[in-house]
C-alpha cells in the first residue's frame, strides 16, 4: 500500500528516537532514586548529564555509577532552595559543558505528618524544596538553554491530583508544580522551550516509597491502590522523561504525563 504523501510529511524523525548523543541534560535531585534512574538512562542514551544535589558523597557515587557504565556525568552540590546558588551552579554547568538541552527537576522532600501537627516551618520546607526549588532551577536554566528545542520537565506526583492524609504539604507543593508547568509552558513556548511534567506512581526501592510505606501492610495497601497492582521502576519514569525531551514529543507542552500505574484513579477499595 502506498502511503499518501501528506501523511509522510512533517513527521518526526524516528531515526533519532532515543538518541541523546551530544545533548546536555541537567537533573536536580539526580543523585538518588528516580532522579538517578533518569540520569543513568539518559546517559546510557548518550547524553552528557550534570547532577545537582546537596550531599557530595551521593553525587560522587551517582556520577561514578554513570561513568563506570561508560557515560559522561558531573556532580554539583547545591540546595535548590537557594536561588542565587542555583543560578551560579547552572551558569558553571553552562560554562563547562555548553548550552543545556534539557533540565529535569526531581529534587523533593517529604514526610508524613498530620496537618494539625505540622509546624509552619515543616509546611514551608516542603513547599520550598518542591515548588520553589522547581521554579528556581527552571528560571535559572532559561537563559542557558539551547533554543529552540529545549525541554524542562518537573517530577510531580499523584498527590497533585488526589488529596492524601498526612500529605498536606506535599499535595499543595505538587499541585503548585502542575500549575507552574502549565504557566511556564504558556509563557516560554514562544521562546522555543517546552515545559512538561511526569507524575510517577509508587516506585520500588526509593526513599519516596519507603517514606510512604511505613509498614508491610501500608506497602501492600499502596501497591493495591494502583490499577496495575504493582510498583513501578525508576526506569519507567526515565522512559517517560526521555520521550518528553525528544523530538517525538516536539508538539507536547504544558502536559502532565501520568506514569503511575493508575494510582491517581483512586482505587483505594480493592479486595
Ligand atoms: P530521593 O531518592 O530521596 O531523591 C531526592 C533527590 O533530591 C536526591 O538526589 C536528594 O539529594 C535531592 N534533594 C533533596 N532535597 C534537595 C534540596 N533541597 N536541594 C537539592 N537537592 C535535593 O527521592 P525519590 O523517592 O527518588 O523521589 C524523586 C522525585 O520523584 C521527587 O520529586 C518525588 O516527589 C517524586 N516522586 C517519587 C515517588 C516515589 O515513589 N519515590 C512517587 C511520586 C513522585 P540530597 O539529599 O543529597 O540533596
Ligand atoms: N514530621 C514532622 N515534622 C518534620 C518531620 C517529620 N517527620 N521532618 C521534618 N519536620 C519538620 C522539622 O521539625 C522542621 O520544622 P520546625 O523547625 O518547626 O521543627 C522542618 O520540618 C524542617 O526540618 P529540617 O530537618 O530542618 O529540614 P531539612 O531542610 O534539613 O530537610 C526534609 C528536609 C525534612 C524534607 C528531609 O527529610 C530531606 O532532606 N528529605 C530529602 C529526601 C526525601 O524526602 N525524599 C523523598 C522525596 S518524595
Amino acid at each position: 500500500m502506498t502511503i499518501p504523501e501528506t501523511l509522510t510529511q512533517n513527521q518526526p524523525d524516528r531515526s533519532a528516537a532515543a538518541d541523546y548523543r551530544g545533548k546536555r541534560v541537567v537533573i536536580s535531585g539526580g543523585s538518588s532514586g528516580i532522579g538517578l534512574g533518569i540520569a543513568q538512562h539518559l546517559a546510557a542514551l548518550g547524553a552528557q548529564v550534570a547532577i545537582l544535589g546537596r550531599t557530595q558523597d551521593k553525587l560522587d557515587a551517582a556520577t561514578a555509577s554513570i561513568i563506570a557504565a561508560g557515560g559522561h556525568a558531573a556532580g554539583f552540590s547545591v540546595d535548590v532552595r537557594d536561588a542565587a546558588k542555583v543560578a551560579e551552579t547552572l551558569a558553571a554547568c553552562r560554562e563547562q559543558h555548553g548550552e543545556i538541552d534539557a533540565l529535569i527537576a526531581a529534587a523533593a522532600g517529604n514526610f508524613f505528618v498530620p496537618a494539625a501537627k505540622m509546624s509552619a516551618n515543616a509546611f514551608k520546607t516542603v513547599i520550598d524544596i518542591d515548588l520553589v526549588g522547581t521554579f528556581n532551577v527552571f528560571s535559572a536554566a532559561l537563559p542557558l538553554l539551547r533554543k529552540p528545542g529545549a525541554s524542562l520537565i518537573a517530577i510531580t506526583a499523584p498527590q497533585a491530583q488526589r488529596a492524601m492524609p498526612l500529605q498536606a504539604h506535599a499535595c499543595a507543593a505538587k499541585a503548585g508544580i502542575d500549575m507552574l508547568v502549565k504557566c511556564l509552558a504558556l509563557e516560554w513556548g514562544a521562546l522555543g522551550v517546552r515545559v512538561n511534567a511526569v507524575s510517577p506512581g509508587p516506585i520500588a526501592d526509593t526513599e519516596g516509597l519507603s517514606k510512604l510505606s511505613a509498614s508491610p501492610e501500608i506497602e501492600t495497601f499502596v501497591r493495591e491502590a494502583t490499577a496495575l497492582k504493582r510498583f513501578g521502576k525508576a526506569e519507567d519514569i526515565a522512559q517517560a522523561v526521555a520521550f518528553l525531551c525528544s523530538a517525538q514529543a516536539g508538539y507536547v507542552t504544558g502536559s502532565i504525563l501520568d506514569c503511575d500505574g493508575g494510582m491517581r484513579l483512586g482505587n483505594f477499595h480493592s479486595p
Side-chain angles (χ1 to χ4, degrees), residues 112 158 164 201-205 208-210 212-233 236 260-271:
F112 266 21
M164 288 188 197
I203 302 301
D205 304 321
L209 182 58
S210 71
L212 201 71
S213 307
S215 68
E217 292 73 27
I218 299 176
E219 190 174 298
T220 302
F221 177 80
V222 171
R223 190 174 49 242
E224 291 301 309
T226 66
L228 296 180
K229 307 297 177 200
R230 59 182 170 83
F231 295 136
K233 296 177 287 189
D236 294 320
D260 66 354
M263 178 88 171
R264 77 197 174 285
L265 303 174
N267 181 25
F268 291 109
H269 300 287
S270 291

Side-chain angles (χ1 to χ4, degrees), residues 28-35 52-55 58 78-81 105-109 129-130 155-159 174 200-203 206-209:
S28 72
S31 62
S32 64
I34 292 172
L52 315 185
R54 293 166 302 175
T55 318
K58 285 172 66 176
V78 64
D79 191 320
V80 294
R81 290 170 283 190
I129 301 172
D130 294 23
I155 303 300
T156 180
Q159 281 95 322
K174 294 297 193 183
I203 302 301
T206 62
E207 181 74 12
L209 182 58

Side-chain angles (χ1 to χ4, degrees), residues 39-127:
Q40 289 170 330
H41 184 71
L42 296 182
L45 296 179
Q48 186 168 348
V49 302
I51 292 171
L52 315 185
R54 293 166 302 175
T55 318
Q56 192 62 50
D57 288 352
K58 285 172 66 176
L59 290 167
D60 291 345
T63 53
S65 74
I66 291 168
I67 291 164
H72 297 280
F76 295 83
S77 177
V78 64
D79 191 320
V80 294
R81 290 170 283 190
D82 184 341
K85 184 81 194 301
V86 166
E88 199 181 290
T89 303
L90 290 182
C93 279
R94 160 76 179 78
E95 188 66 28
Q96 290 172 32
H97 304 290
E99 284 182 317
I100 299 165
D101 293 287
L103 182 143
I104 295 96
N110 199 6
F111 45 82
F112 266 21
V113 58
K117 294 196 170 144
M118 192 185 298
S119 72
N121 192 39
F123 184 79
K124 181 176 182 303
T125 296
V126 171
I127 297 290

